[in-house]
Amino acid sequence: MTTAAPTFSLQERDRRWARIRAFMAERGLAGLVIAGLRSRDGFEPYVTNESIQGVVVFPADADPVHLTWNAFRILGRDDPGNDREYWIDDIRAGLIGPGIVAALTGAGLAAERIGVVGLRNKSPMELEGYVPHATWSHVLEQLPGAVFVEVSLAFGLLMMQKGPAELAAARHCARVGELACAEMIEVTRAGIRESELYAALTSIVYRAGLTFTQPGIVFRSGREILSWGPPEWGTGAVPPRTIGPGELVYAELMPCYGGIETQQQMNVATSPVDPEWRRLADVARRSYDAGLEALKPGITFTEMCAAMAVPVHEADCWSLSPLIHSVSPACLLGTLHDGAEKVLGDQYPWLRTLPPWDDAVLTEGMLFSFEPNACRGRHRVNIGGTVAVGRSGAEELNTLPCRLHEVR
């Protein structure tokens, strides 16, 4: 990397915590239970600047308590040579449900109005929340006098409004994603296995000191591919596929730095290239450009979805995945399967167009994955990168993934 990786200071912690306290005051909350656990969006690290897959109990008038399931996660605080600044001093290990009860009771909040993050969260992979039943049923049984209020979306929108330090981290993350995209163009050839390409992409990200948001890299190759997900090899007992000539290779990269995710939607075609793919790539690019033109503070998310859909509809195409969604966190998701029932409805009668799940007014500092995809029949091209809402318009954080690439 040509630039040093940014870090988050205690001043950044204080800025975030002040915003969280204002959030509680606006909603009449005496405290928050912020569940990170194994969720993909990391509500917990926003408060802690750590990754221990736990829960934060945040009283409105006191410092937060950090809970984790296992002491192994926190014993390293006393390791010789560990000179990092920790944001939360009160950290405890053990069963999470009893930990929440003890922290709320100890703060005098056993009969107060408490906000909860993660219980009814609607992000990709977690459409029905991610707090375990055993954890939450224990809390309800032990604290019958408390009033719990679900605030996942509202807290997600708070997180989406990035400050200067967070935007610097996002730009750094996107730059590493750009390097991985360049590596994909260099490595992709007919005759290599998907696993070889996957290893090359992950190597770039990990060597730069980043990690991935789950599921890491969505990956597929072939000619007429509509499925979308992480590699099946390794989990299923199937060998990695060998990329052939005249195929498309899809990779949705989800690098993460400082708890901030960016995304890159790479689509590389091996020769001979089907002319239909070039036509679909042009449609997808027009959708991307329509999004750039529309993006500004004050527009609503549903208006953004509608603007990006116009070029796709005008070209008599349909889209499988959202044309746009938020990142860090992914709490705003665009239209799903737009027109898919017209093409695949006989085979998959349950497949139908699903409108955006939630709406919000966009503000400066929000991050979005622009991922326009254009489908005709069973042919599909998907491009795009991460875009920030600037003071007067769009700030593109990626360039390479925003068009179809062709290799011999």
Side-chain angles (χ1 to χ4, degrees):
M1 295 298 296
T2 58
T3 56
T7 59
F8 294 145
S9 65
L10 292 179
Q11 288 74 29
E12 172 63 14
R13 177 200 67 180
D14 294 343
R15 184 191 72 86
R16 295 186 190 182
W17 286 13
R19 298 184 72 229
I20 293 171
R21 290 193 171 98
F23 176 90
M24 288 188 272
E26 291 168 2
R27 288 161 178 79
L29 301 173
L32 282 171
V33 175
I34 305 167
L37 303 173
R38 294 182 181 272
S39 65
R40 79 172 304 279
D41 279 323
F43 291 103
E44 167 206 5
Y46 178 77
V47 190
T48 67
N49 198 35
E50 291 186 72
S51 177
I52 62 173
Q53 296 179 329
V55 172
V56 176
V57 175
F58 202 138
D61 57 0
D63 286 343
V65 177
H66 200 180
L67 308 172
T68 184
W69 62 275
N70 195 304
F72 293 161
R73 298 291 177 114
I74 58 178
L75 293 177
R77 284 188 170 210
D78 298 322
D79 287 349
N82 183 358
D83 59 355
R84 68 167 291 185
E85 293 180 315
Y86 288 96
W87 285 13
I88 297 179
D89 294 327
D90 190 348
I91 188 164
R92 311 170 187 178
L95 293 175
I96 296 295
I100 293 172
V101 172
L104 289 174
T105 302
L109 304 180
E112 298 291 341
R113 178 180 164 90
I114 310 298
V116 184
V117 177
L119 194 62
R120 298 291 182 189
N121 188 52
K122 290 195 306 182
S123 69
M125 299 169 57
E126 296 149 3
L127 307 185
E128 300 168 283
Y130 51 81
V131 178
H133 172 75
T135 298
W136 197 244
S137 61
H138 179 87
V139 172
L140 295 179
E141 290 168 3
Q142 297 299 312
L143 298 177
V147 176
F148 293 103
V149 183
E150 221 293 326
V151 294
S152 296
L153 176 60
F155 192 84
L157 294 175
L158 169 75
M159 286 177 58
M160 282 180 61
Q161 299 168 21
K162 306 299 184 193
E166 294 169 303
L167 287 173
R171 295 183 186 106
H172 174 70
C173 182
R175 282 195 294 269
V176 174
E178 195 83 1
L179 293 176
C181 292
E183 182 73 0
M184 182 170 174
I185 298 168
E186 180 69 24
V187 173
T188 302
R189 295 292 185 274
I192 71 166
R193 294 181 302 163
E194 289 181 340
S195 55
E196 295 176 77
L197 177 54
Y198 193 93
L201 299 178
T202 55
S203 176
I204 293 291
V205 173
Y206 286 132
R207 287 176 183 275
L210 277 66
T211 184
F212 287 97
T213 301
Q214 290 298 322
I217 301 179
V218 173
F219 201 91
R220 288 291 187 274
S221 67
R223 284 193 56 82
E224 297 182 0
I225 319 161
L226 294 180
S227 62
W228 200 229
E232 296 179 4
W233 29 266
T235 302
V238 294
R241 186 177 182 278
T242 297
I243 298 168
E247 292 189 348
L248 283 172
V249 184
Y250 302 83
E252 180 179 22
L253 285 72
M254 305 174 188
C256 185
Y257 179 77
I260 296 177
E261 174 190 8
T262 64
Q263 289 193 3
Q264 295 80 37
Q265 308 287 332
M266 278 295 286
N267 220 169
V268 178
T270 61
S271 63
V273 177
D274 191 323
E276 179 71 348
W277 299 341
R278 296 191 180 107
R279 289 190 287 267
L280 293 176
D282 181 65
V283 174
R285 179 66 206 202
R286 292 202 300 271
S287 173
Y288 179 89
D289 290 337
L292 292 181
E293 184 176 354
L295 189 71
K296 60 183 180 297
I299 192 172
T300 67
F301 181 67
T302 54
E303 288 172 337
M304 281 296 305
C305 295
M308 294 183 69
V310 169
V312 179
H313 294 163
E314 287 181 342
D316 195 27
C317 294
W318 62 282
S319 57
L320 177 67
S321 52
L323 304 176
I324 178 176
H325 67 76
S326 64
V327 285
S328 298
C331 56
L332 296 177
L333 191 74
T335 305
L336 277 167
H337 315 143
D338 191 4
E341 64 270 24
K342 298 177 182 178
V343 179
L344 304 172
D346 291 341
Q347 188 175 4
Y348 305 105
W350 42 264
L351 192 63
R352 65 188 188 280
T353 298
L354 299 176
W357 295 344
D358 292 294
D359 198 11
V361 176
L362 275 53
T363 61
E364 182 180 354
M366 290 182 171
L367 297 173
F368 290 90
S369 174
F370 277 31
E371 46 187 60
N373 59 109
C375 309
R376 187 175 287 120
R378 294 187 63 91
H379 290 285
R380 178 174 184 263
V381 170
N382 190 188
I383 64 169
T386 301
V387 181
V389 182
R391 181 169 301 176
S392 57
E395 178 190 351
E396 295 179 86
L397 304 190
N398 292 110
T399 56
L400 279 177
C402 301
R403 62 183 178 88
L404 173 68
H405 293 271
E406 301 178 11
V407 297
R408 293 188 178 276

